[in-house]
Structure formats: structure tokens, C-alpha cells
Amino acid sequence: MHIAPRWIGSAALAIVLTGGIWAQEGPEANRKIAGGGITAPGWMGKVDADSEKAGQSEKDAKFVQKGGEFDVTTGPAITYWNPKNTATGDYTVSATFTEPKFMNLNDHPHPYGIAIAGNGMGTAEQSYLYCAAYGNGNFIVRGFGPDAFQMNGRRGGTDAAVHKAPGVGQPVTQDIAMSVKGGTVTCAINGTVVATYDKAMVVTAGKLKSTDGVYGIRFAHNTEAVVTNFKVSKP
């Protein structure tokens, strides 16, 4: 059984924000973040293939640990993980993402979120699934297997549970959780399940190898946020 994400109609094609229509992706050039790289002990990162082909790497984004929080600023779209962070069976991976200044580094909303089920991370054959929120009420569920795949469409969808920033330059916070339980995989944002998929829909040819694997965080290009309360829990 597949329960579709809680959105329909034109919201699947575009997002209206303060009178304008914002696509999820755009021609914005990737920034190169000064002083970039990964300083959080044990963590690794890999930018998307198109950025690699353009000569960019994890050094063009910044991932810093400050006590119990991670400060992230991108450059190229990137996924971060610590190989020691693995989850099997039934589990929930969650974190709080705070974008201190909505759209501070971009000209349209960009997402950030949780990644799970990572296998072969850092290689050309890596696979993982992620759910990410935008500060305009939109969200996407996507993955790599190793090629990119989409679970809720090219444009993603909207849900009333996803917080909207009051305006450009204003803060917005999202609590994001991805869960594997029995035969289903779900994404919840701010305590509301926004998408549910049968495990067979994501563990299949061209997608995930398994729902067991490494978990981490995913950021689009030209985005900054602070990540707190990053954890895994078992039922």
C-alpha cells in the first residue's frame, strides 16, 4: 500500500510565496564557501555528481560542529554522514533545522533534511533516501540509487505542517524525521507525517539497496542552516 503525500493539484507544480511563483530548482550558480570543508570529527561529505564534474567538492561547502549543533553552509548540494551512524530494522532519525535568514544565499527557496539508508556512501554506487523541507511550506522526498530518483514528483509538494518563514531574511525552523517501521518508510515534518511509502517502493532496482544503513543530513546548494537534536531512536 502507498499513501500519497498530502498534496494535490497545482501545488505539485509551483509554490506561491508572497505573490511570486518559485520553482524548486533553478539556474543559480553554486557558491564556493570561503574556509569551507568538514571540521566535525568523523564526518564525511559528498557533493552531487554534476558539481563534481564541475570541479567542486566538500571543500566548497562548510560543515562545522559547535557542541551539540552543526552549522552548515553550502556551495554545492551535498550530503553529510558519519560512518559510525548506522541504523537497522525499525528506527527513526530526526533533527531540527533552523534557517536563520530565509533565502539569505539564494534567489529562491532551497531545502535541507534527513538522509537514511545509506550504502556505499562516498562512492559512485552510493544509495540513500532523503526528505527535505523548504522555508516556504514545500517538501521533497528523493534519493540516489546511484542515479537520482524522485518519490513525490519533480516539484515535490506542500503540506500545512511545513513551516513558512515570515519573509525573506527571517528565521524558520523545521523538525524533520524519517522512520522505517515494518513495511513502510515515512517522513514527518513538525510532527505530521507528510509522506508514506511501502518499503518495496524504495528498496528496488535503481533505488535503495536496503533501508538499513548510514544516516545523515542533506542540503541543497547555496543554503545555510543550523542542525540540532540530531539523533536516532528505536521503537
Side-chain angles (χ1 to χ4, degrees):
M1 180 182 68
H2 165 54
I3 301 175
R6 298 171 59 235
W7 54 271
I8 58 174
S10 61
L13 300 176
I15 304 301
V16 178
L17 178 69
T18 61
I21 297 178
W22 298 85
Q24 288 187 3
E25 305 296 341
E28 252 180 29
N30 292 345
R31 294 171 180 263
K32 293 186 177 182
I33 304 303
I38 301 170
T39 58
W43 283 76
M44 305 175 70
K46 182 175 173 61
V47 301
D48 291 357
D50 56 348
S51 296
E52 283 188 317
K53 291 177 182 178
Q56 289 195 290
S57 72
E58 72 281 357
K59 295 180 181 179
D60 294 305
K62 183 183 289 187
F63 184 85
V64 178
Q65 184 171 2
K66 296 179 180 178
E69 71 178 40
F70 301 112
D71 291 358
V72 181
T73 308
T74 63
I78 187 168
T79 300
Y80 293 106
W81 73 94
N82 185 325
K84 294 181 179 180
N85 292 338
T86 62
T88 61
D90 291 354
Y91 61 85
T92 296
V93 178
S94 59
T96 299
F97 295 78
T98 300
E99 191 174 1
K101 296 181 179 180
F102 177 55
M103 290 175 52
N104 188 45
L105 299 181
N106 45 60
D107 62 18
H108 59 275
H110 291 180
Y112 33 80
I114 296 290
I116 63 169
N119 284 276
M121 298 300 287
T123 73
E125 300 301 313
Q126 68 181 7
S127 60
Y128 59 92
L129 182 71
Y130 67 92
C131 179
Y134 297 69
N136 66 346
N138 201 35
F139 75 98
I140 55 171
V141 184
R142 295 181 178 176
F144 290 88
D147 293 331
F149 63 88
Q150 302 160 351
M151 295 305 299
N152 70 332
R154 181 172 178 270
R155 298 291 186 181
T158 60
D159 194 283
V162 185
H163 293 158
K164 296 181 180 181
V168 173
Q170 298 298 307
V172 60
T173 296
Q174 316 283 1
D175 291 323
I176 305 175
M178 295 195 73
S179 299
V180 177
K181 184 175 182 180
T184 61
V185 178
T186 63
C187 174
I189 300 178
N190 300 316
T192 297
V193 174
V194 297
T196 301
Y197 304 97
D198 287 345
K199 189 181 290 188
M201 293 183 67
V202 293
V203 181
T204 187
K207 295 180 181 176
L208 301 183
K209 298 177 179 70
S210 171
T211 53
D212 295 344
V214 174
Y215 58 90
I217 55 178
R218 167 74 182 181
F219 272 72
H221 71 149
N222 300 344
T223 304
E224 59 182 350
V226 177
V227 184
T228 55
N229 304 318
F230 179 70
K231 63 183 183 294
V232 64
S233 58
K234 301 288 283 186

